[in-house]
């Protein structure tokens, strides 16, 4: 002990066992032992602003997560039943109703269920007439001309600019009507029918600026022709029927 200094009384120390000091007294004591320590200042506005910002970020992240999940679910609904290894064909509940609603939106290809239904009707109504008459090209619409090309000849009917081929005679008109009646009975929105490389292509009405859509009957063919353009795609429906998406020229 330094004899030149006056002994400190332990009675003034807040650590004495008999003393139970309030928080303010402890803080005051510590400040007397640490002169120059800056006083802490609390900015209530800054604290409130940071808390609100954190709450907004949590809400935004929650909304983004929910939107992402909803987008994935809607995509699965629109895609239709999917083949999952080990699980078979899986479909999202409510997908059929969503796809039916989507059929009303221009620019969208027929859904999974509609393709099967269309093929059933085409096979029952349209294909027999096309094969019986050996139609190589049939055009109902669009445009001012109606066209029928088959072994009897190539015929056109309609506006004056359609007369570059032989005008319809009575038999050609009756044969064209037979194919048209079959198309109308099928209920499929057919625009044209043509043959190519042994296949029968049934092009359907579409409102897409980008693609043409066709049901294609490829008898005794294990795989479709190779794609030749961007965006072209072949999808097997059943048996000898395929769905063809081609770039719109």
């Amino acid at each position: 002990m330094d004899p030149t200094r006056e002994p400190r009384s332990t009675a003034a120390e807040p650590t004495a066992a008999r003393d139970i000091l309030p928080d303010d007294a402890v803080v005051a004591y510590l400040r007397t032992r640490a002169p120059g320590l800056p006083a802490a200042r609390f900015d209530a506005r800054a604290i409130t602003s940071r808390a609100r910002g954190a709450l907004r970020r949590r809400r935004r992240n929650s909304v983004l997560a929910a939107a992402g999940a909803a987008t994935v679910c809607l995509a699965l609904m629109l895609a239709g039943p999917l083949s999952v290894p080990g699980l078979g064909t899986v479909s999202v509940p409510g997908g059929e109703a969503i796809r039916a609603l989507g059929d009303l939106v221009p620019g969208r290809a027929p859904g999974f269920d509609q393709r099967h239904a269309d093929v059933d009707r085409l096979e029952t109504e349209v294909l027999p007439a096309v094969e019986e008459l050996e139609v190589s090209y049939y055009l109902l619409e669009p445009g001012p001309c109606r066209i029928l090309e088959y072994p009897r000849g190539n015929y056109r009917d309609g506006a004056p600019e359609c007369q570059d081929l032989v005008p319809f005679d009575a038999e050609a008109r009756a044969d064209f009507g037979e194919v048209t009646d079959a198309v109308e009975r099928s209920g499929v929105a057919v625009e044209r029918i043509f043959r190519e490389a042994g296949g029968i292509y049934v092009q359907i009405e579409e409102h897409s600026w980008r693609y043409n859509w066709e049901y294609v009957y490829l008898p005794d063919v294990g795989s479709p022709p190779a794609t030749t353009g961007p965006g072209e795609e072949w999808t097997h429906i059943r048996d000898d029927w395929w769905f063809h998406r081609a770039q719109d020229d």
Side-chain angles (χ1 to χ4, degrees):
M1 177 181 296
D2 187 351
T4 63
R5 300 186 62 180
E6 182 180 350
R8 182 181 299 169
S9 172
T10 58
E13 297 289 344
T15 55
R18 66 178 180 275
D19 293 331
I20 300 177
L21 300 179
D23 293 343
D24 293 343
V26 173
V27 171
Y29 171 79
L30 293 175
R31 287 194 177 282
T32 60
R33 295 300 187 269
L37 184 68
R41 292 184 175 87
F42 296 95
D43 189 336
R45 289 187 177 180
I47 293 173
T48 302
S49 177
R50 286 195 293 270
R52 288 176 175 172
L55 180 59
R56 285 194 298 269
R57 286 192 295 273
R58 285 197 297 272
R59 288 176 175 171
R60 182 173 63 250
N61 292 339
S62 298
V63 170
L64 292 175
T71 300
V72 171
C73 184
L74 180 59
L76 291 174
M77 287 181 172
L78 292 175
L82 301 175
S83 178
V84 179
L87 297 177
T89 302
V90 177
S91 61
V92 178
E96 185 174 349
I98 293 295
R99 291 191 298 275
L101 181 61
D103 290 338
L104 302 176
V105 180
R108 180 177 176 271
F112 178 88
D113 297 328
Q114 184 182 341
R115 293 180 192 183
H116 279 263
D118 285 352
V119 161
D120 289 342
R121 293 191 292 266
L122 291 173
E123 191 170 67
T124 301
E125 301 290 350
V126 179
L127 188 60
V130 171
E131 291 185 318
E132 179 185 355
L133 294 171
E134 300 180 60
V135 173
S136 58
Y137 190 86
Y138 163 89
L139 176 65
L140 178 62
E141 58 183 358
C145 306
R146 295 178 297 168
I147 302 175
L148 179 65
E149 298 179 7
Y150 65 141
R152 285 193 67 247
N154 299 337
Y155 298 87
R156 290 198 183 192
D157 191 22
E161 60 267 30
C162 302
Q163 304 306 321
D164 55 328
L165 297 178
V166 180
F168 277 18
D169 59 16
E171 187 171 352
R173 186 168 289 107
D175 291 338
F176 183 89
E178 182 178 341
V179 179
T180 301
D181 289 345
V183 167
E184 291 177 351
R185 286 195 305 270
S186 74
V188 180
V190 175
E191 287 190 350
R192 75 187 72 210
I193 302 171
F194 60 94
R195 291 179 185 262
E196 185 174 297
I200 298 176
Y201 289 66
V202 181
Q203 185 174 323
I204 61 174
E205 180 181 307
E206 45 78 23
H207 300 281
S208 168
W209 59 270
R210 189 175 181 185
Y211 298 117
N212 291 324
W213 301 318
E214 300 157 345
Y215 291 111
V216 185
Y217 177 67
L218 298 174
D220 305 320
V221 175
S223 59
T227 57
T228 58
E232 185 179 7
E233 182 179 81
W234 289 89
T235 305
H236 186 236
I237 301 174
R238 65 166 176 79
D239 303 329
D240 296 323
W241 286 93
W242 298 76
F243 187 80
H244 183 218
R245 185 183 73 184
Q247 194 76 18
D248 191 351
D249 54 6

